[in-house]
Amino acid sequence: MFLTKEVYRYTATLPKSEIFGLQSQMRRAAVSIPSNIAEGHGRLSDHLLRVFLAQARGSLYELETQIQLCHDLDFIPPDAVKDLFELCNEVARMINGLLKTLKPKDIKQHAS
């Protein structure tokens, strides 16, 4: 959730014209990441957890795109962009690690 908090902190500095645009999109994507992980965990199913982790990863990639756009438009200072990308990479490593531990089991067919 640290990434989400940092996104809220940095997006507070975006131009007022972006309150209903980029700021809102980034915050939704950032909130979606831990929310999907929590919901997947709460479903008590490895299959459903994988589905929600994939959703979280999609939101993370969406957020990275939005961070890059903020950088390209000079809305966020370069050091903040670097910090956010590092946090995104850390979250991606955690999500990918969880996904690896939850790989679907091979279904073995029995010959009759």
Side-chain angles (χ1 to χ4, degrees), residues 10 67 76-86:
Y10 286 122
I67 293 167
I76 297 179
D79 59 325
V81 171
K82 181 179 177 279
D83 291 346
L84 288 170
F85 275 134
E86 286 175 2

Side-chain angles (χ1 to χ4, degrees), residues 12-92:
T13 66
L14 293 179
K16 296 289 182 216
S17 62
E18 291 300 325
I19 288 175
F20 298 109
L22 203 48
Q23 182 188 65
S24 177
Q25 285 291 111
M26 291 178 75
R27 287 178 173 188
R28 276 198 300 263
V31 167
S32 180
I33 298 163
S35 297
N36 274 297
I37 294 168
E39 185 171 355
H41 179 71
R43 296 296 177 116
L44 302 176
S45 157
D46 283 357
H47 169 73
L48 289 175
L49 178 55
R50 283 185 54 77
V51 169
F52 282 94
L53 286 172
Q55 290 281 0
R57 189 167 62 178
S59 294
L60 180 64
Y61 292 156
E62 179 182 349
L63 178 62
E64 287 179 327
T65 301
Q66 295 157 350
I67 293 167
Q68 183 62 52
L69 181 58
C70 281
H71 173 69
D72 294 349
L73 296 171
D74 293 321
F75 285 168
I76 297 179
D79 59 325
V81 171
K82 181 179 177 279
D83 291 346
L84 288 170
F85 275 134
E86 286 175 2
L87 289 170
C88 286
N89 287 333
E90 183 180 338
V91 171

